[in-house]
Amino acid sequence: MRLSTNQMFNANVNGYQKGYSALVKTQEQITSGNRIQTPADDPIGSARLLQLEQQSALLSQYKSNLTDATNSLTQEESILSSMINISQRARELAGHAGNGAYNDQNRSAIAAELKQIEAELFGLMNSKNASGEYWFSGSQSGIQPYVLNSDGTYSYQGDQGQQNLQVATGLQISINDSGYSAFETARNVSRTASSLDTVGASGQRMYLSQGTVSNQRDFDSTFRADAPYKLEISANTDGSIGYTVTAAGVAVDSGSYDPNQENPKITFRGVEFNLDTMLKTGESDFAALLDGHSFDLGMAPEKFAVSSNSAAQISASTVVDVDAYTTGFPDGGVTLKFDGTGYQAFAQPSNVLIPSAFDGATNTLTVAGVEFSFSGTPAADDLFKVTADSQENQNLLNTIANLRAALEQPADGIEGGGLRIREAIAVALGNIDSGMIQIESTQAHIGARLNSIDTLLVENESLSIMNDSTQSAIRDTDQFEAASRLMLQQTKLEAAQAAFVRVSQLSLFDRL
């Protein structure tokens, strides 16, 4: 086999270039600190690095989301803490309003401060975050959660959802709480009602409160089941006063009543009632005067929140068919529209026309078991939005609004005025406590989520460190090995250069 001079030169040049390329690559690995310059350097390692870089990006995003979640929950907790403080002040005012020495003017002053508290709570419940989204609208962050209705009540417009952030693989965390869970599920202590049925021979001398729920379990398991009831007062043969509670004519409870006792009460199936005696001047025979009084007891009737754009009003809303109301009244409420001659009903939020019956003679509309009475003169296309305001729960706004309204009404010199004030205060105290318990429960859930975030942050940091360490092990250059390899490559390259110089000078003429 013969080698030409050209082949010999080309072979040596190619070898030199390869050696020089390897030397340069080693120098780049040492200078940059990265062993893998291109995927060809280590295909398996390059694929693994790509996976690790993707995981690192996810971990970085999760860390950012955890920070956002912490900020959001911390701000929400701060809002709720402010609400607790304000509610506590409202409770103190309610206690002051019960002072027997206070007159209408004193109570009006308290009502004025309660009105300011009401406005503060309304503002806090409609708080927005830095992005202009409402905290307590659930998943509908663009909708104002609470609105003031034309009848002075407050209604919740959000949903029961929450906004979530992905904070780990397969794990999301809620960054807000809906107004429904934070405020609307507070138990209403005033879920019963009473009315006078008959009086004694000398007229009414006894007054019975509407009742407040004192034992939720007994109320749910026994009171509801047999309502309505009748409470009958009778004089015993020994001169004492007894009472009997009947359901459908069957006695279900009985006991004695001492009208001389301060703030006398009877507790029946988880509900506490105040029995007040108001004798006229010169009267003292309790037994004769109270004998024959009777009262009807039962569940409080449903209420409805109304908002409208009309000069006319809904003067009364009454459930006339309990079964039809329970099964047919839309959860989202109804919109009543005046078409020029009468009213039509549309279910919300679908805005679908539903069956209704309008009686022009009485100006009433019956829909889904509820009869609405109208007053005033409406214009064509006037709308009334009506939502059911369940007696089971009551938010703080309506609790304080009800107390304020009760304190604004005169009571001095009015028969039963003091009893009305006392009952309004008792209900308000119970419902403020219930509302604060619900807010504190929400705070507890926020605390649990913040604790989870702290744990996830530590875990995320550990995973990030491990990820960086693994990437470093795959990508980083072993400086000692690379330095030794560089010296070897330099030596080989110098030797090749020296050999090429000697070989390139060989010729037959040198042998002559």
Side-chain angles (χ1 to χ4, degrees):
M1 179 179 180
R2 293 181 300 175
L3 294 175
S4 67
T5 301
N6 190 42
Q7 286 176 318
M8 182 180 65
F9 270 84
N10 286 339
N12 279 278
V13 168
N14 289 337
Y16 179 79
Q17 289 177 336
K18 289 180 181 179
Y20 183 74
S21 295
L23 177 67
V24 170
K25 178 178 285 294
T26 302
Q27 288 176 328
E28 290 176 349
Q29 289 175 336
I30 293 173
T31 302
S32 65
N34 292 334
R35 179 179 65 86
I36 302 176
Q37 300 292 319
T38 65
D41 295 337
D42 185 349
I44 296 176
S46 296
R48 179 60 178 150
L49 279 175
L50 181 61
Q51 293 175 338
L52 290 169
E53 287 169 355
Q54 291 174 340
Q55 184 192 43
S56 179
L58 274 177
L59 291 173
S60 178
Q61 184 61 56
Y62 291 155
K63 182 178 181 180
S64 177
N65 289 352
L66 285 167
T67 300
D68 291 342
T70 299
N71 293 337
S72 178
L73 292 173
T74 301
Q75 291 179 53
E76 181 187 348
E77 200 279 334
S78 178
I79 294 172
L80 294 178
S81 294
S82 296
M83 294 181 68
I84 287 290
N85 294 334
I86 293 172
S87 299
Q88 186 60 48
R89 176 55 183 166
R91 195 185 192 288
E92 292 173 3
L93 291 172
H96 293 326
N99 190 325
Y102 279 13
N103 55 26
D104 286 345
Q105 185 176 359
N106 298 131
R107 288 188 289 269
S108 293
I110 292 176
E113 186 171 350
L114 286 173
K115 187 173 184 178
Q116 293 300 318
I117 289 175
E118 189 180 326
E120 288 183 59
L121 285 175
F122 183 64
L124 289 171
M125 289 181 176
N126 287 323
S127 297
K128 295 181 180 181
N129 61 21
S131 301
E133 298 176 330
Y134 290 99
W135 286 110
F136 300 110
S137 288
S139 59
Q140 303 185 56
S141 58
I143 296 178
Q144 181 174 321
Y146 281 92
V147 294
L148 175 62
N149 302 314
S150 57
D151 60 358
T153 61
Y154 295 89
S155 295
Y156 178 65
Q157 296 189 119
D159 59 21
Q160 299 181 33
Q162 292 176 298
Q163 298 177 49
N164 299 310
L165 275 180
Q166 189 86 24
V167 293
T169 303
L171 178 62
Q172 293 185 333
I173 197 163
S174 301
I175 61 171
N176 76 324
D177 292 276
S178 69
Y180 181 85
S181 64
F183 315 121
E184 293 297 306
T185 54
R187 285 292 190 180
N188 181 12
V189 300
S190 181
R191 281 171 277 164
T192 56
S194 68
S195 60
L196 180 67
D197 182 33
T198 61
V199 298
S202 301
Q204 185 176 5
R205 297 294 187 274
M206 176 178 285
Y207 297 83
L208 182 69
S209 70
Q210 299 300 304
T212 56
V213 177
S214 58
N215 187 304
Q216 185 64 46
R217 184 181 61 183
D218 290 347
F219 174 77
D220 288 334
S221 62
T222 59
F223 190 95
R224 290 178 187 274
D226 294 332
Y229 305 92
K230 185 177 289 294
L231 172 66
E232 299 175 308
I233 305 297
S234 59
N236 297 325
T237 55
D238 61 358
S240 63
I241 302 169
Y243 68 87
T244 303
V245 182
T246 60
V250 178
V252 294
D253 192 41
S254 61
S256 297
Y257 162 65
D258 182 3
N260 293 308
Q261 181 182 356
E262 183 178 358
N263 195 22
K265 300 177 181 180
I266 64 170
T267 300
F268 168 67
R269 293 188 170 185
V271 183
E272 190 176 79
F273 295 92
N274 284 88
L275 279 168
D276 290 286
T277 301
M278 298 183 66
L279 302 186
K280 295 184 178 180
T281 303
E283 294 179 338
S284 61
D285 188 354
F286 286 106
L289 293 168
L290 301 183
D291 184 54
H293 282 73
S294 66
F295 300 86
D296 292 323
L297 313 178
M299 299 296 296
E302 289 292 315
K303 292 183 179 179
F304 298 88
V306 180
S307 60
S308 75
N309 62 354
S310 176
Q313 295 180 340
I314 294 179
S315 55
S317 306
T318 308
V319 177
V320 294
D321 186 334
V322 175
D323 291 337
Y325 169 74
T326 303
T327 59
F329 195 85
D331 292 338
V334 295
T335 294
L336 310 181
K337 180 179 180 180
F338 184 71
D339 60 9
T341 58
Y343 292 91
Q344 293 179 315
F346 298 83
Q348 297 304 322
S350 60
N351 203 37
V352 174
L353 182 68
I354 57 177
S356 61
F358 178 69
D359 185 344
T362 59
N363 204 25
T364 59
L365 177 74
T366 303
V367 53
V370 184
E371 181 181 87
F372 298 100
S373 299
F374 296 89
S375 61
T377 304
D381 296 329
D382 277 0
L383 300 176
F384 298 81
K385 184 177 180 182
V386 183
T387 55
D389 186 10
S390 173
Q391 295 297 294
E392 292 299 308
N393 306 306
Q394 187 174 100
N395 64 55
L396 270 171
L397 276 174
N398 285 330
T399 293
I400 294 175
N402 291 342
L403 176 60
R404 173 185 55 78
L407 296 179
E408 288 174 341
Q409 296 178 15
D412 294 347
I414 299 175
E415 184 177 355
L419 299 180
R420 176 182 58 80
I421 294 296
R422 187 188 68 184
E423 184 165 353
I425 292 171
V427 170
L429 288 172
N431 282 341
I432 290 174
D433 287 343
S434 181
M436 288 195 293
I437 288 172
Q438 192 61 38
I439 292 176
E440 288 168 351
S441 175
T442 303
Q443 287 180 306
H445 284 91
I446 291 174
R449 275 174 276 170
L450 288 172
N451 288 338
S452 296
I453 288 173
D454 289 340
T455 301
L456 289 169
L457 281 170
V458 173
E459 181 180 340
N460 184 282
E461 188 65 26
S462 297
L463 289 173
S464 296
I465 293 173
M466 185 179 299
N467 181 286
D468 291 341
S469 176
T470 304
Q471 287 195 57
S472 177
I474 296 173
R475 179 189 292 116
D476 292 356
T477 302
D478 184 339
Q479 296 291 342
F480 295 103
E481 184 275 334
S484 299
R485 179 159 34 94
L486 180 64
M487 292 180 63
L488 177 61
Q489 289 169 336
Q490 287 176 331
T491 301
K492 290 169 65 178
L493 189 60
E494 291 171 356
Q497 287 175 327
F500 176 66
V501 171
R502 296 293 300 273
V503 171
S504 65
Q505 294 175 352
L506 294 179
S507 170
L508 290 175
F509 295 102
D510 294 332
R511 303 302 179 188
L512 295 177

